[in-house]
Amino acid sequence: MARRKPAGRRAQPSNRSAGGPAGSTGELRIIGGDWRSRKLRFPDAGGVRPTPARTRETLFNWLSFNLVGKDCLDLFAGSGALGLEALSRGAGAATLVDRTPALARALRDNLRLLKTDAGEVVCASVDAYLAQRTRAPFDIVFMDPPFHQDWLPRILPVLDQQGWVKPGGWVYLEHESSSPTPTVPAQWHLHRQKTAGQVSYCLFRTATTDAIAPVALS
């Protein structure tokens, strides 16, 4: 996931074109797992930079016993910091969604560099991607949306209503520390929460007894 500059503010990712990893100005370092210390490049499209290493380490410590083999969704993927970190640490698959073509190209290039076919990149807006579920629900969903654009109140109900998260699954989200924790569906239970400067991040678990609505898989 990616944080947009300036610090404390998040800008909607632009669709302006940029080069692939070879011409990029940003760098992501994987901090754990099979690809630990691998450095990956991504384009400076909209001021994207990776979620800080300390925040990622905290998150993946929270998930340490619930990650291996899991199917993950990384929304607002940006540099891919969360989805790629999850794959490095043993997740079975990750779908990375970002609407910026240059970032989507860089994500695909970096998956090839890592020689993995466990990642899928979708170049689409998050609301369009979530509008109708046409696949099995995910074990873990990561969300680090642009700040000050009210993304979470719009998409959290959709995640629940469309059954995007498995019963007993995990939902991670980031929001401005100046704002209260967003209202989440009643069957999501706060597991861990922490604030670092201008960012608060939370991990929720969905109720294990929830029934997932049937869906016609394509």
Side-chain angles (χ1 to χ4, degrees):
M1 204 62 61
R3 188 143 315 120
R4 269 66 173 177
K5 295 182 282 189
R9 288 187 61 88
R10 302 291 301 274
Q12 176 71 7
S14 72
N15 281 323
R16 72 180 165 88
S17 178
S24 65
T25 59
E27 183 175 86
L28 163 69
R29 184 176 67 87
I30 304 295
I31 59 173
D34 293 342
W35 304 327
R36 183 176 182 177
S37 299
R38 287 290 300 270
K39 293 181 180 179
L40 304 170
R41 305 290 292 177
F42 58 89
D44 181 14
V48 175
R49 57 187 174 88
T51 295
R54 182 173 295 180
T55 302
R56 279 183 278 150
E57 190 63 45
T58 299
L59 166 62
F60 287 101
N61 283 341
W62 291 348
L63 286 170
S64 58
F65 298 106
N66 301 280
L67 186 60
V68 174
K70 301 301 185 182
D71 191 7
C72 303
L73 174 62
D74 186 356
L75 299 172
F76 309 97
S79 68
L82 295 179
L84 296 177
E85 189 77 44
L87 289 175
S88 179
R89 292 170 181 256
T95 299
L96 300 96
V97 180
D98 199 285
R99 78 171 196 173
T100 306
L103 290 170
R105 287 195 299 270
L107 288 168
R108 293 188 183 103
D109 288 345
N110 284 328
L111 286 166
R112 283 192 289 268
L113 285 173
L114 294 168
K115 299 180 180 179
T116 179
D117 59 2
E120 177 188 5
V121 178
V122 177
C123 187
S125 66
V126 165
D127 45 3
Y129 178 80
L130 294 178
Q132 184 173 5
R133 181 169 62 87
T134 57
R135 53 147 292 158
F138 290 91
D139 298 295
I140 303 171
V141 177
F142 302 111
M143 287 180 289
D144 180 9
F147 283 4
H148 307 293
Q149 295 186 28
D150 295 324
W151 274 102
L152 292 174
R154 299 205 306 270
I155 63 177
L156 293 178
V158 178
L159 281 167
D160 180 49
Q161 293 159 9
Q162 294 288 341
W164 280 102
V165 191
K166 290 181 181 178
W170 301 89
V171 180
Y172 169 81
L173 58 87
E174 295 187 20
H175 65 91
E176 310 95 319
S177 58
S178 58
S179 300
T181 302
T183 300
V184 301
Q187 68 274 17
W188 294 11
H189 306 292
L190 182 63
H191 177 68
R192 298 294 297 270
Q193 183 175 27
K194 193 169 183 178
T195 296
Q198 297 175 323
V199 179
S200 289
Y201 48 106
C202 318
L203 183 65
F204 294 87
R205 192 171 193 188
T206 65
T208 58
T209 56
D210 267 6
I212 289 292
V215 61
L217 300 180
S218 59

